[in-house]
Amino acid sequence: MEQRKDVGQKAPLKLKDIWAIRIRLQLGHRTRELALFDRGLDSKLRACDLVRLRVRDICHGDRVSPRAIVMQQKTSRPVQFEITPPTRDAVTAWIKEAKLVNDNFLFPSRVDESPHLGTRQYARILNCWIEEIGLDPTAYGTHTIRRTKASLIYRRTKSIRV
């Protein structure tokens, strides 16, 4: 049977979906995935920029910063983002568990040929999260994670400029 592929803009996650994924990752002690999920939500970065983050991009010494600035690959423009306390905790736990240092990619690849997690692998991981909470993975994509925080802010404030 051929799998249908939806085209067009993917829906953002709802707050209940975020918590369902986060709780599963926490209960499963899936430190890397929790850090990846939280980092993606907080930063609103494109998948290509998220997977290329290095420890030094978000840390000062051994502490994860409350804010960071990275250069976007697509636009060559800097983007600043907040790193919330739960995300700082998740990322700190991941850095310690993986024994990462300043120059390491935050999400190193498990495949020798690649220095960091690829965007396709990130998309596959996201599909697993979506399936685990009973949603249709064809209705969501990596851009879903990028759009989610902005949509939640807009729903609450009716303004993107917060």
Side-chain angles (χ1 to χ4, degrees), residues 63-129:
R63 298 189 64 220
V64 178
S65 304
R67 292 194 178 275
I69 299 174
V70 296
M71 193 66 69
Q72 296 178 85
Q73 180 182 343
K74 182 177 178 179
T75 63
S76 298
R77 296 178 131 191
V79 62
Q80 181 175 344
F81 51 85
E82 177 187 15
I83 306 173
T84 61
T87 299
R88 288 197 301 266
D89 293 344
V91 170
T92 299
W94 166 240
I95 289 170
K96 286 179 182 171
E97 181 180 304
K99 298 176 177 63
L100 300 176
V101 295
N102 220 20
D103 281 341
N104 291 141
F105 284 100
L106 189 56
F107 303 107
S109 175
R110 294 178 179 167
V111 179
D112 290 336
E113 304 89 53
S114 180
H116 56 76
L117 184 71
T119 55
R120 282 299 312 132
Q121 185 58 27
Y122 173 47
R124 284 190 286 272
I125 291 168
L126 173 66
N127 282 346
C128 289
W129 297 336

Side-chain angles (χ1 to χ4, degrees), residues 29-30 37 48 51 78 95 99-100 106 109 111-112 115 130 135 137 139 145 148:
H29 303 287
R30 292 154 64 184
F37 180 69
C48 62
V51 298
I95 289 170
K99 298 176 177 63
L100 300 176
L106 189 56
S109 175
V111 179
D112 290 336
I130 298 298
L135 297 175
I145 300 296
T148 294

Side-chain angles (χ1 to χ4, degrees), residues 7-89:
V7 292
Q9 197 171 49
K10 306 290 188 179
L13 293 172
K14 294 179 175 85
L15 200 51
K16 67 180 178 116
D17 301 330
I18 293 169
W19 281 106
I21 292 170
R22 187 174 280 142
I23 295 300
R24 276 178 174 71
L25 297 177
Q26 288 172 339
L27 292 175
H29 303 287
R30 292 154 64 184
T31 313
R32 173 183 179 240
E33 290 180 52
L34 180 60
L36 180 62
F37 180 69
D38 283 350
R39 189 67 254 124
L41 286 174
D42 269 5
S43 68
K44 302 181 292 272
L45 290 172
R46 290 178 183 86
C48 62
D49 295 322
L50 178 65
V51 298
R52 284 187 175 84
L53 283 175
R54 291 185 184 265
V55 173
R56 68 173 174 242
D57 293 331
I58 63 166
C59 290
H60 288 296
D62 61 349
R63 298 189 64 220
V64 178
S65 304
R67 292 194 178 275
I69 299 174
V70 296
M71 193 66 69
Q72 296 178 85
Q73 180 182 343
K74 182 177 178 179
T75 63
S76 298
R77 296 178 131 191
V79 62
Q80 181 175 344
F81 51 85
E82 177 187 15
I83 306 173
T84 61
T87 299
R88 288 197 301 266
D89 293 344

